[in-house]
């Protein structure tokens, strides 16, 4: 028979577990010679030498950089590409009902230009464009965009799909960067230029033939960020001239960060260069399409707008290939948080999120900026205390200034119920806030620390979050129950006041197994009660006392709180009482403190 394990004791602490990760190679290379003394990071075995800096891959044109001093003071034209680029990234692409639900959502939110599909890529995409035409689903103030590669038969199929629409943008793309030219297309610069020119000429001819549909054009030199700047200008300016762009019939030049390669300032430099050098600039809408491969898609889009971009393509909640397209929700609400109207409605963010999750069959992360389930939620005690004070301060001014909450959750249709939630990391401010907002219980400042210790012990033991219901049950068990059920019990009592203003308290007390009648006098009922307790051999001094109604109107329950020094050893304890009678609540609060000290 094996021996049973030895139980840990105070003099034999449980050793901390040692976790071993056999596939992780802790860096063991030299500390760089120029590293400061406070940074002892060592060279790793990661093969970083296999990758080249963006500056070694493409010429980044230098300007005098006006964009760092610019400000975003109005929203760009937002163009959601969920139904095309986002849809291409789904394991289960949307069918027509899901596409229609997404389209209707985008229209309801206020988007005025919407990329609806890649009609030549699949029958589903083609049929959806025709569905919108046949059901007359496109509002008069909305322009749809369709996407096509530079291939004659696919261009023809694309124009076939939009026949019957009042207006549309046909979006032409082709890869232009050296790696794509060499590996994907097998063409040099001149051949790519000819490919683009032939495609654009065909589009112009087909557009003129569709006399009932107003067609405008968009061009994307795919992988713009790795394409030589002079080649991009050559292509874009050539199309501006070929399509005879004018201010009242502008062409869209869309410059994608197809695969992010550098810090966002590099993209801003590239966009500013194009902004300054594009021909017929007043006849060009400069658009950007950032992806998020480096996790900086939002920054790229914002800096691009500072650098002169007027139009931004992206997806709701950042869906897209690899790490996604730039997140239009994040971008728009960033503007809202700066006092700039995003021109799109997000007043029911949960409905928007649920619809997108249904259509994409992908969850929105709980920490997603602005829209995640937990994004407005604080567990940390210091955060909760600051937020609680911010809410209290908010009533005194119109401006939104609440710590840790960049925007008012109510702007997005959220309630304040989930702003503060309690676990073992929480503090007295958050706990007090939840009791006050959910149950009308406003703990005195010193009592908050007392109750916080009780809550922390409970959450430490359970390892779980404490809901408002849990907090109330803890508060009731800790403070209210001892006032009605403890070693000292008031079986009956009455109070009166003589003409001189002195109060008399007469009661029957049961102390343990002993029961007797006692009375006391004082300058108030509570004082008289403490003297009655003294007559029963229980010394009580009330150190702090407060009471309030929990709701407005007659019949509202009152809650009273009493901090008392009890017994010969002067033990300090808080008690609370709750009753529709303020006097009864006060007596119960003192009795609660007495029993908690016993």
């Amino acid at each position: 028979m094996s021996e049973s394990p030895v139980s840990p004791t105070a003099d034999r602490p449980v050793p901390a577990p040692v976790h071993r990760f056999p596939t992780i190679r802790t860096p063991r290379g030299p500390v760089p010679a120029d590293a400061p003394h406070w940074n002892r990071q060592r060279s790793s075995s990661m093969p970083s030498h296999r990758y080249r800096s963006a500056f070694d891959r493409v010429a980044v044109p230098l300007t005098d950089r006006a964009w760092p001093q610019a400000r975003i003071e109005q929203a760009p034209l937002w163009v959601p590409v969920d139904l095309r680029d986002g849809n291409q990234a789904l394991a289960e692409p949307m069918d027509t009902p899901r596409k229609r639900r997404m389209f209707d959502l985008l229209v309801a939110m206020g988007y005025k230009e919407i990329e609806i599909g890649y009609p030549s890529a699949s029958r589903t995409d083609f049929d959806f464009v025709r569905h919108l035409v046949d059901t007359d689903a496109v509002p008069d103030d909305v322009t749809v965009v369709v996407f096509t590669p530079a291939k004659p038969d696919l261009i023809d199929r694309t124009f076939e799909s939009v026949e019957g629409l009042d207006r549309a943008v046909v979006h032409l793309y082709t890869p232009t960067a050296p790696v794509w030219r060499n590996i994907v297309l097998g063409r040099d610069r001149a051949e790519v230029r000819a490919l683009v020119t032939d495609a654009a000429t065909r589009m112009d001819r087909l557009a003129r033939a569709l006399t009932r549909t107003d067609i405008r054009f968009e061009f994307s030199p795919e992988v713009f960020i790795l394409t030589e700047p002079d080649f991009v200008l050559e292509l874009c300016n050539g199309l501006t001239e070929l399509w005879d762009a004018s201010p009242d019939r502008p062409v869209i030049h869309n410059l994608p960060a197809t695969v992010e390669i550098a810090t966002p300032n590099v993209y801003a430099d590239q966009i500013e260069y194009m902004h300054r050098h594009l021909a017929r600039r007043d006849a060009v809408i400069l658009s950007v399409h950032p992806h998020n491969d480096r996790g900086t898609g939002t920054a790229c889009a914002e800096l691009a707008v500072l650098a002169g971009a007027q139009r931004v393509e992206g997806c709701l909640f950042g869906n897209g290939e690899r790490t996604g397209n730039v997140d239009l929700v994040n971008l728009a609400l960033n503007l809202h948080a700066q006092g700039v109207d995003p021109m799109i409605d997000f007043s029911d963010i949960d409905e928007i999120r649920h619809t997108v999750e249904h259509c994409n069959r992908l969850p929105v992360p709980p920490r997603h900026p602005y829209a995640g389930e937990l994004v407005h939620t604080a567990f940390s005690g210091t955060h909760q205390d600051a937020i609680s004070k911010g809410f209290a301060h908010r009533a005194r001014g119109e401006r939104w200034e609440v710590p840790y909450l960049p925007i008012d959750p109510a702007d997005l249709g959220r309630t304040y119920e989930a702003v503060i939630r309690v676990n073992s990391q929480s503090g007295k401010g958050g706990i007090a806030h939840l009791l006050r907002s959910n149950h009308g219980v406003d703990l005195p400042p010193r009592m908050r620390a007392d109750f916080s210790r009780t809550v922390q012990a409970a959450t430490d033991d359970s390892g779980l979050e404490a809901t408002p219901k849990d907090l109330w049950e803890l508060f009731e068990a800790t403070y209210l129950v001892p006032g009605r059920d403890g070693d000292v019990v008031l079986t009956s009592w009455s109070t009166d006041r003589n003409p001189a203003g002195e109060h008399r308290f007469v009661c029957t007390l049961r102390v343990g197994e002993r029961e007797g009648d006692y009375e006391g006098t004082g300058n108030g009922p509570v004082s008289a009660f403490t003297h009655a307790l003294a007559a029963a051999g229980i010394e009580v001094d009330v150190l702090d006392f407060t009471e309030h109604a929990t709701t407005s109107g007659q019949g509202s329950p009152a809650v009273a709180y009493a901090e008392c020094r009890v017994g010969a050893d002067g033990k300090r304890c808080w008690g609370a009482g709750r009753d529709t009678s303020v006097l009864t609540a006060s007596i119960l609060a003192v009795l609660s403190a007495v029993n908690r000290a016993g």
Side-chain angles (χ1 to χ4, degrees), residues 28-55:
R28 289 184 171 82
V31 175
D34 58 350
H37 69 88
W38 43 264
N39 184 349
R40 310 316 292 163
Q41 292 179 147
R42 295 179 174 274
S43 300
S44 77
S45 58
M46 296 289 291
S48 303
H49 62 279
R50 297 175 57 219
Y51 304 95
R52 289 188 294 158
S53 161
F55 299 95

Side-chain angles (χ1 to χ4, degrees), residues 422-450:
V422 170
N423 61 17
S424 61
Q425 305 299 309
S426 305
K428 57 185 184 295
I431 293 166
H433 173 83
L434 289 179
L435 284 177
R436 182 172 60 249
S437 60
N438 288 280
H439 302 286
V441 172
D442 192 5
L443 300 181
R446 289 206 305 276
M447 191 178 182
R448 295 173 189 176
D450 186 76

Side-chain angles (χ1 to χ4, degrees), residues 75-76 78 109-111 340-345:
W78 307 113
M109 292 173 69
Y111 291 104
V340 176
D341 184 354
M343 311 296 284
I344 303 295
D345 183 71

Side-chain angles (χ1 to χ4, degrees), residues 189-527:
R189 282 176 51 154
E191 291 171 319
V192 170
R193 181 174 61 251
L195 175 73
V196 170
T197 302
D198 290 347
T201 302
R202 190 179 194 89
M203 288 169 57
D204 188 56
R205 176 174 57 79
L206 291 170
R208 293 177 189 277
L210 290 180
T211 55
R212 290 182 50 207
T213 304
D214 180 16
I215 301 288
R216 290 192 296 115
F217 301 117
E218 176 178 355
F219 173 60
S220 287
E222 191 180 3
V223 207
F224 155 76
I225 52 175
L226 279 175
T227 305
E228 305 91 331
D230 67 305
F231 187 43
V232 177
L233 276 174
E234 180 185 340
L235 293 173
C236 290
N237 289 341
L239 294 185
T240 300
E241 182 176 354
L242 189 156
W243 286 329
D244 194 22
S246 63
D248 61 346
R249 193 175 184 74
V251 66
I252 301 164
H253 286 314
N254 184 56
L255 307 178
T258 309
V259 181
E260 279 195 301
I261 61 160
T263 50
N265 59 294
V266 174
Y267 190 49
D269 285 344
Q270 293 173 311
I271 297 299
E272 188 169 64
Y273 177 82
M274 297 297 294
H275 168 57
R276 293 183 182 184
H277 291 88
L278 282 167
R280 301 195 202 182
R281 184 64 186 86
D282 62 346
V284 172
I285 299 169
L286 180 53
S287 176
V288 292
H289 182 112
H291 277 256
N292 197 44
D293 301 86
R294 303 178 83 249
T296 57
T298 296
C300 279
E302 291 180 332
L303 268 59
V305 172
L306 293 175
Q310 301 153 287
R311 179 181 183 272
V312 176
E313 296 185 351
C315 286
L316 298 184
F317 305 114
N319 178 44
E321 295 281 12
R322 303 176 307 282
T323 59
N325 289 284
V326 72
D327 185 336
L328 293 185
V329 176
N330 196 349
L331 283 171
L333 290 175
N334 280 354
L335 288 188
H336 176 66
Q338 294 294 310
V340 176
D341 184 354
M343 311 296 284
I344 303 295
D345 183 71
F346 294 93
S347 60
D348 192 347
I349 197 68
D350 290 331
E351 178 63 24
I352 294 168
R353 189 182 76 244
H354 294 152
T355 300
V356 173
E357 288 178 329
H358 168 80
C359 294
N360 287 343
R361 296 180 178 170
L362 291 173
V364 174
R367 293 293 183 187
H368 180 283
Y370 303 110
E373 289 281 6
L374 296 176
V375 72
H376 300 299
T377 300
F379 291 102
S380 161
T382 55
H383 289 206
Q384 292 174 344
D385 184 59
I387 291 170
S388 181
K389 290 175 179 174
F391 278 135
H393 174 79
R394 183 172 57 99
R396 297 195 289 271
E398 294 184 0
R399 291 283 185 180
W400 178 259
E401 292 181 338
V402 176
Y404 298 110
L405 293 178
I407 67 171
D408 186 347
D411 292 353
L412 308 181
R414 294 273 182 84
T415 68
Y416 300 128
E417 182 177 349
V419 169
I420 291 176
R421 289 165 58 177
V422 170
N423 61 17
S424 61
Q425 305 299 309
S426 305
K428 57 185 184 295
I431 293 166
H433 173 83
L434 289 179
L435 284 177
R436 182 172 60 249
S437 60
N438 288 280
H439 302 286
V441 172
D442 192 5
L443 300 181
R446 289 206 305 276
M447 191 178 182
R448 295 173 189 176
D450 186 76
F451 185 47
S452 175
R453 288 189 287 272
T454 300
V455 174
Q456 189 166 46
T459 52
D460 273 335
D461 288 344
S462 70
L464 302 175
E465 177 186 352
T467 66
K469 178 176 180 289
D470 295 332
L471 290 178
W472 174 252
E473 290 174 353
L474 271 174
F475 176 79
E476 187 175 39
T478 304
Y479 298 107
L480 299 183
V481 170
R484 299 186 181 276
D485 183 16
D487 191 55
V488 181
V489 178
L490 256 178
T491 58
S492 65
W493 60 276
S494 63
T495 183
D496 56 42
R497 183 180 181 185
N498 65 28
E502 185 178 57
H503 290 259
R504 185 169 70 108
F505 193 96
V506 178
C507 63
T508 300
L509 278 172
R510 186 174 69 246
V511 182
E513 300 297 324
R514 176 171 53 89
E515 185 171 282
D517 297 326
Y518 305 94
E519 67 175 82
T521 58
N523 58 5
V526 172
S527 173

